[in-house]
Amino acid sequence: MNRIRAIENGSNEKYIRILGAELSDNLGRDCYEALEECDEDEDIKSVLAWRLKNLSSEDKIEAQLELFVAGEGADAGAMLGEYHKRATGEGVGKTVFEMSMLPGDIQKILADNGFELTKKESVDLLEPLSSVALLKLAKKKTSPSYIKPVSELDLLQFKRGITNCMFSGRYGLEEDLPDLPMEWFEMDVSCCVITDDKVSSLFLVRMTKGGILMPVLLFSQGIDADKYMLEMMRFAINAAASKYPGDTQVLLRRHDSKTRKLTDYLFPGAKGKTVICGIRSEK
């Protein structure tokens, strides 16, 4: 009989082959979880991984499936049942996903287990760095003295900047933003605004294990907020263009209306790829 259990050590080579380097690394974070189904010989039959979102609002917690693979001999129904038990135990109200590569048999399994599936445009927009560097805002190559790369901050300054974002209710794309070390971000591409010796605005960019640049947080406040955001984006684009080849992909996750409005302005007419989206109530 197959057994289903939590994956405790995503850095194990056998999991990296299935999950990929980025997701394997993320399993070390509290908001990421994964299950594996193994047979009596410890051969992996299926894997399900997800991340928890909206943890600051107990009545709005949701899970986003990051990966679901099932091979020959897998009991996918049992895997999804075990996931449901764990998700509801953590207060998850609904499960969502967006996947570009989802085989027909997996789609059927998900549909048979209560997921509503639709085809939609992805929330992710991928642009080559060479195109981003051609944006009008990046033509000016110098930045004001109050724009500093994160690499020039000490740990206390960085943490206080993150705390400032949290007090304003801004976590960006990462639920556990306060727990992430400075080194998790590209420290010479990420940047901030220093006013009165404090970090008042912050733009954090991540280089994924797969070599994709990804803005994670853009936060600014005060009467000069728009100007600060423009200057931070200019700095980050020029810093990235001087460091990485032009074919480096930049992933822009349009997770809210403000981000979508910004990307529509910067890249008019640009579209994300068509993906399979799913949703299921866990209540």
Side-chain angles (χ1 to χ4, degrees):
M1 178 179 293
N2 292 351
R3 295 183 300 160
I4 299 173
R5 62 194 177 196
I7 296 177
E8 302 291 350
N9 181 14
S11 62
N12 187 303
E13 184 62 35
K14 69 176 181 178
Y15 298 129
I16 294 176
R17 289 196 299 268
I18 298 171
L19 299 170
E22 184 76 5
L23 185 52
S24 294
D25 189 56
N26 282 337
L27 285 184
R29 299 161 58 186
D30 289 343
C31 56
Y32 281 83
E33 299 180 48
L35 295 171
E36 64 173 337
E37 176 192 0
C38 298
D39 63 15
E40 294 178 351
D41 295 323
E42 292 296 304
D43 291 329
I44 298 174
K45 296 300 181 181
S46 67
V47 170
L48 180 66
W50 67 95
R51 67 184 298 186
L52 298 174
K53 303 174 67 177
N54 303 328
L55 292 171
S56 59
S57 303
E58 290 188 3
D59 59 336
K60 296 182 180 179
I61 297 176
E62 66 179 50
Q64 178 173 312
L65 299 188
E66 298 289 321
L67 178 78
F68 182 33
V69 293
E72 184 178 352
D75 188 344
M79 170 64 88
L80 288 168
E82 178 64 22
Y83 161 75
H84 172 73
K85 182 171 68 174
R86 291 175 182 251
T88 53
E90 294 176 323
V92 172
K94 68 177 178 181
T95 299
V96 299
F97 68 81
E98 175 185 298
M99 298 182 186
S100 58
M101 301 291 290
L102 196 61
D105 58 336
I106 298 295
Q107 292 184 42
K108 184 177 187 308
I109 290 169
L110 290 166
D112 289 345
N113 283 272
F115 281 89
E116 297 179 17
L117 306 183
T118 56
K119 287 186 178 181
K120 294 182 180 180
E121 180 191 353
S122 174
V123 298
D124 291 344
L125 187 64
L126 275 171
E127 294 287 338
L129 180 57
S130 57
S131 295
V132 178
L134 291 175
L135 290 172
K136 184 177 180 180
L137 68 88
K139 287 185 177 180
K140 181 181 176 183
K141 301 304 179 183
T142 58
S143 296
S145 59
Y146 55 76
I147 301 290
K148 303 292 184 182
V150 166
S151 59
E152 293 188 11
L153 300 178
D154 60 36
L155 181 59
L156 182 58
Q157 286 177 306
F158 178 75
K159 290 297 185 182
R160 284 177 173 171
I162 295 294
T163 300
N164 189 25
C165 297
M166 292 171 54
F167 280 144
S168 300
R170 299 293 297 277
Y171 289 79
L173 299 178
E174 304 301 331
E175 294 286 330
D176 56 347
L177 182 65
D179 299 325
L180 296 173
M182 291 176 65
E183 297 78 15
W184 196 79
F185 305 98
E186 286 297 279
M187 295 174 59
D188 48 359
V189 174
S190 301
C191 57
C192 63
V193 173
I194 302 291
T195 54
D196 298 326
D197 296 323
K198 296 179 182 178
V199 176
S200 60
S201 301
L202 199 55
F203 186 28
L204 298 177
V205 180
R206 161 83 170 159
M207 173 63 82
T208 71
K209 299 287 187 180
I212 296 175
L213 279 171
M214 186 174 180
V216 172
L217 172 75
L218 178 58
F219 169 76
S220 188
Q221 60 184 353
I223 59 174
D224 291 321
D226 289 344
K227 180 179 75 172
Y228 290 159
M229 283 195 290
L230 177 68
E231 292 293 351
M232 288 191 298
M233 287 191 291
R234 175 183 291 124
F235 177 94
I237 291 170
N238 288 326
S242 67
K243 183 176 182 179
Y244 301 109
D247 59 356
T248 301
Q249 292 294 301
V250 180
L251 192 157
L252 305 168
R253 180 153 291 165
R254 301 168 293 179
H255 66 292
D256 58 21
S257 58
K258 289 184 178 180
T259 307
R260 186 171 288 274
K261 184 178 180 180
L262 178 60
T263 55
D264 286 348
Y265 171 75
L266 295 174
F267 303 98
K271 297 291 184 182
K273 64 174 63 175
T274 299
V275 294
I276 303 295
C277 298
I279 183 170
R280 182 178 80 173
S281 173
E282 302 297 344
K283 294 182 177 179

